[in-house]
């Protein structure tokens, strides 16, 4: 209206003729009849500048709020609603400036006790009406259509249970090493979630611990192996797992070990002159040449006179190894002058 008045004043002018009876400052329209066509054209132009309303479709995410206490939404038919609107194009352009969602209020939409008690709401599938009054739109925007008109949701009872933790492993330690059973800390956790989901868990495991080429004990933080899409929460989703790595204790057989004769001033022979033994020890120790070279067997004949004797051998075993078998155990020694 300000622009129109200003244009009107431009065509009529504020002054009046000396003979005019019009009040001071008011235009004399009788002297300006020729200006009316121009004024009409101006008004038509201003009217034509108003854009025509447009129609468009929008997808609004659905946010479920006020879930009844002790219940969980475990399934819903749709997570978006489609609306058809009509509005000034400039308003439509501004819609994307601020995210819009549809708030599904379960506490209000479900058929609950008037006093507000939600104990009457049991597990099941419910249909919630979509109320366009909850859609946060500018009043100048007209909502023409909403699809779907109802939202389907499934409610389940929320329960809590304690589970012992198992830690699976993948890969193998370095050759010659073994891994003891992994020890989780804590050994059990508490899970909360939908009753059907919690009851479906037979064994609660962590993600596998990789033992590939491990040769030393270690600790590692490992998450629980829970599907992200399921409605489950844990009081401690990350578990500290300790893995003890030990070197294997292996047994090795040494055959044809020669029998040495020591401290004899006469000619002597021993039958048999070789033996077989077995030793047990750490994998890395028992397989080295330096260790095997330290193993030998001998007979000490110091002070013995000529004759035939039955004797046991002495066997030198390096520190860290244990002899588990020897064959034979008794040898025949013949001493001659």
């Amino acid at each position: 209206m300000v622009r129109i008045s200003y244009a009107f004043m431009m065509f009529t002018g504020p002054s009046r003729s000396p003979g005019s009876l019009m009040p001071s400052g008011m235009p004399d329209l009788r002297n300006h009849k020729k200006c009316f066509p121009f004024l009409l054209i101006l008004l038509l132009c201003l009217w034509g500048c108003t854009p025509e309303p447009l129609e468009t479709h929008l997808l609004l995410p659905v946010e479920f709020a006020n879930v009844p206490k002790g219940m969980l939404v475990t399934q819903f038919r749709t997570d978006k609603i489609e609306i058809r609107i009509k509005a000034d194009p400039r308003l439509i352009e501004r819609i994307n400036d601020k995210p819009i969602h549809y708030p599904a209020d379960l506490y209000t939409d479900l058929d609950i006790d008037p006093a507000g008690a939600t104990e009457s709401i049991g597990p099941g599938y419910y249909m919630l009406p979509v109320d366009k009054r909850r859609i946060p739109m500018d009043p100048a925007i007209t909502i023409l259509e909403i699809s779907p008109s109802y939202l389907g949701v499934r409610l389940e009872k929320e329960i809590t249970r304690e589970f012992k933790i198992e830690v699976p492993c993948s890969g193998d330690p370095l050759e010659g090493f073994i891994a003891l059973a992994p020890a989780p800390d804590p050994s059990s956790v508490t899970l909360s979630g939908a009753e059907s989901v919690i009851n479906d868990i037979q064994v609660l495991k962590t993600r596998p611990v990789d033992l590939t080429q491990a040769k030393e004990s270690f600790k590692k933080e490992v998450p629980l192996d829970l599907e992200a899409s399921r409605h489950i929460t844990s009081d401690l989703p990350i578990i500290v797992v300790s893995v003890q790595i030990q070197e294997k204790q292996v047994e090795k057989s040494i055959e044809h070990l020669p029998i040495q004769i020591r401290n004899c001033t006469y000619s002597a022979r021993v039958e048999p002159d070789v033996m077989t033994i077995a030793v047990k020890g750490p994998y890395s120790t028992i397989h080295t040449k330096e260790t095997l070279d330290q193993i030998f067997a001998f007979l000490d004949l110091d002070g013995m006179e000529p004759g035939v004797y039955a004797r046991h051998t002495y066997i030198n075993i390096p520190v860290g190894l244990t002899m588990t078998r020897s064959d034979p155990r008794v040898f025949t020694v013949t001493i001659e002058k």
Side-chain angles (χ1 to χ4, degrees):
M1 293 299 295
V2 174
R3 293 180 180 177
I4 295 175
S5 300
Y6 178 70
F8 184 85
M9 294 295 292
M10 288 177 59
F11 286 105
T12 59
S15 61
R16 61 184 180 89
S17 60
S20 175
L21 298 178
M22 298 294 291
S24 176
M26 294 296 291
D28 187 354
L29 297 182
R30 291 174 298 178
N31 296 329
H32 300 283
K33 292 182 180 180
K34 295 181 180 181
C35 296
F36 287 145
F38 297 101
L39 179 59
L40 180 61
I41 293 174
L42 178 61
L43 292 174
L44 291 176
C45 290
L46 292 175
W47 180 263
C49 291
T50 303
E52 289 290 330
L54 293 181
E55 292 187 13
T56 188
H57 292 260
L58 298 176
L59 281 178
L60 306 184
V62 177
E63 291 188 0
F64 295 97
N66 290 332
V67 179
K69 185 177 180 181
M71 306 293 287
L72 290 173
V73 176
T74 58
Q75 183 184 355
F76 42 83
R77 189 176 66 183
T78 179
D79 61 349
K80 293 182 178 65
I81 62 171
E82 182 179 7
I83 63 174
R84 183 165 63 90
I85 63 173
K86 184 177 182 180
D88 187 303
R90 292 166 294 186
L91 288 178
I92 294 178
E93 289 178 2
R94 290 199 293 266
I95 288 178
N96 294 327
D97 294 343
K98 184 178 180 180
I100 302 176
H101 67 273
Y102 176 77
D105 191 329
L106 276 75
Y107 187 87
T108 302
D109 294 338
L110 293 176
D111 184 17
I112 63 173
D113 187 282
T118 59
E119 289 79 0
S120 60
I121 304 176
Y125 194 82
Y126 296 88
M127 300 297 292
L128 309 179
V130 177
D131 187 352
K132 70 177 183 180
R133 292 172 299 180
R134 294 187 190 163
I135 301 175
M137 284 286 184
D138 190 305
I141 298 176
T142 303
I143 300 177
L144 303 175
E145 185 180 358
I146 300 177
S147 179
S149 56
Y150 283 86
L151 300 174
V153 296
R154 181 175 296 281
L155 293 181
E156 287 195 50
K157 184 180 179 182
E158 183 180 22
I159 64 172
T160 298
R161 275 180 54 193
E162 185 176 359
F163 293 87
K164 288 190 175 298
I165 300 173
E166 290 189 8
V167 182
C169 297
S170 63
D172 297 311
L174 189 68
E175 185 178 4
F177 292 84
I178 60 172
L180 303 184
D185 182 23
S187 60
S188 63
V189 297
T190 299
L191 298 183
S192 298
E195 185 174 22
S196 63
V197 178
I198 295 295
N199 290 338
D200 193 48
I201 299 176
Q202 302 299 323
V203 179
L204 181 59
K205 298 181 179 181
T206 66
R207 297 289 177 84
V209 174
D210 187 10
L211 302 179
T212 303
Q213 297 297 300
K215 61 179 180 179
E216 295 179 345
S217 300
F218 63 90
K219 288 185 178 182
K220 187 176 183 180
E221 291 186 345
V222 185
L224 293 174
D225 190 12
L226 297 173
E227 294 184 19
S229 60
R230 291 189 166 188
H231 297 270
I232 299 178
T233 57
S234 170
D235 60 341
L236 193 65
I238 301 297
I239 307 301
V240 178
V241 176
S242 301
V243 181
Q244 296 295 320
I245 303 294
Q246 294 183 354
E247 194 170 3
K248 287 182 180 179
Q249 295 290 312
V250 296
E251 188 174 80
K252 182 176 181 61
S253 180
I254 302 174
E255 300 179 348
H256 307 294
L257 183 66
I259 308 301
Q260 303 174 15
I261 296 177
R262 295 184 179 182
N263 302 321
C264 183
T265 57
Y266 302 98
S267 175
R269 65 179 185 275
V270 59
E271 293 180 0
D273 60 354
V274 295
M275 68 182 302
T276 299
I277 68 170
V279 293
K280 185 177 183 180
Y283 179 90
S284 61
T285 301
I286 211 168
H287 282 84
T288 61
K289 184 177 183 302
E290 292 78 9
T291 299
L292 297 180
D293 287 345
Q294 297 178 49
I295 300 175
F296 57 88
F298 66 93
L299 290 169
D300 189 353
L301 304 182
D302 184 30
M304 296 181 63
E305 297 294 326
V308 179
Y309 305 92
R311 287 289 184 270
H312 294 279
T313 59
Y314 295 96
I315 303 173
N316 185 72
I317 303 296
V319 175
L321 300 184
T322 303
M323 187 175 69
T324 58
R325 179 170 54 88
S326 64
D327 183 37
R329 294 191 175 187
V330 180
F331 298 84
T332 301
V333 180
T334 303
I335 302 175
E336 298 176 343
K337 289 185 178 180

